[in-house]
Amino acid sequence: MALRHAVLAALLDGESSGYELAKTFDRGVANFWHALPQQLYLELSKLEESGLVEGRDVAQEGRPTKRLFTVTDAGLGELEGFAAGAAKPSVIRDDLLVKVQAVDHISAAAVVGQLDQRAALAMAKVDIFERALSGLRGDLDEPAFLATSDRIGPYLTCLRGLRFEQETADWCTQAAQILRARRATNADR
């Protein structure tokens, strides 16, 4: 997947400025595609040059003119072609896992601390995802929302992010507990 597809997908809900797109990425898309604001602005320019998005300037009182972007029919066609292609399986690439792999031969204390930090960060993200899911559902429970909503893609990707972060927190907590217990047992010897 290229950044272009993630940007096009994020613009499907309507017009957005580069700033608003960066906020959308930060809130919802970041769980499966990370991009810096500078990358998003550059990609919007490329998409506009390619005719996949259309931009229009909006004057603002006392502020610089902002540019709003929408997906064009050609952009929808690009997403259709992308969706029809085979999806590559994801892989885990995480420096913390390399450290855990090596923990039998290095000091475990630093690794345990990093596991604790990662678990806390993941739990903070769980909270963010739970609030986002609740906001998307509104007054509906999940089964009703999934059965009746006009747009469930953002909900499903947010649900995936929630599950990923919960599993990360659970695994980090378990791994840290195991390493602490082994360290305590080895100290008694």
Side-chain angles (χ1 to χ4, degrees):
M1 172 171 84
L3 177 58
R4 72 186 309 145
H5 300 118
V7 170
L8 288 169
L11 288 172
L12 290 175
D13 287 325
E15 269 188 327
S16 182
S17 68
Y19 176 79
E20 293 163 340
L21 181 65
K23 292 294 181 193
T24 298
F25 258 71
D26 192 41
R27 283 190 315 269
V29 179
N31 72 47
F32 61 89
W33 193 270
H34 175 74
L36 298 172
Q38 304 91 306
Q39 293 171 303
L40 295 173
Y41 285 108
L42 180 60
E43 193 61 39
L44 282 169
S45 293
K46 291 177 185 177
L47 289 168
E48 189 172 22
E49 288 172 17
S50 301
L52 301 178
V53 301
E54 187 175 77
R56 70 179 181 94
D57 292 328
V58 176
Q60 302 182 100
E61 193 173 315
R63 299 173 72 191
T65 298
K66 73 176 175 179
R67 191 147 182 83
L68 297 177
F69 298 92
T70 56
V71 177
T72 64
D73 289 341
L76 285 173
E78 174 73 17
L79 278 174
E80 280 286 345
F82 171 71
K88 296 177 184 174
S90 60
V91 296
I92 298 174
R93 186 174 171 174
D94 187 333
D95 62 342
L96 183 55
L97 289 175
V98 174
K99 295 172 185 185
V100 172
Q101 175 75 18
V103 79
D104 298 320
H105 303 282
I106 61 174
S107 171
V111 176
V112 169
Q114 290 176 50
L115 287 164
D116 289 339
Q117 289 172 346
R118 180 75 61 88
L121 178 62
M123 286 309 297
K125 288 181 180 180
V126 163
D127 183 56
I128 291 168
F129 282 124
E130 286 175 341
R131 284 187 276 126
L133 289 166
S134 179
L136 289 169
R137 283 192 312 269
D139 295 334
L140 299 175
D141 65 10
E142 187 170 82
F145 175 81
L146 293 174
T148 62
S149 177
D150 291 337
R151 184 126 154 77
I152 63 167
Y155 190 88
L156 293 174
T157 58
C158 193
L159 192 60
R160 174 65 179 114
L162 171 72
R163 290 182 181 167
F164 174 80
E165 295 299 342
Q166 184 64 61
E167 157 48 39
T168 297
D170 292 346
W171 179 84
C172 287
T173 299
Q174 179 187 25
Q177 288 171 345
I178 290 167
L179 292 172
R180 278 190 189 92
R182 288 177 56 90
R183 192 169 56 193
T185 300
N186 289 338
D188 293 340
R189 290 183 189 170

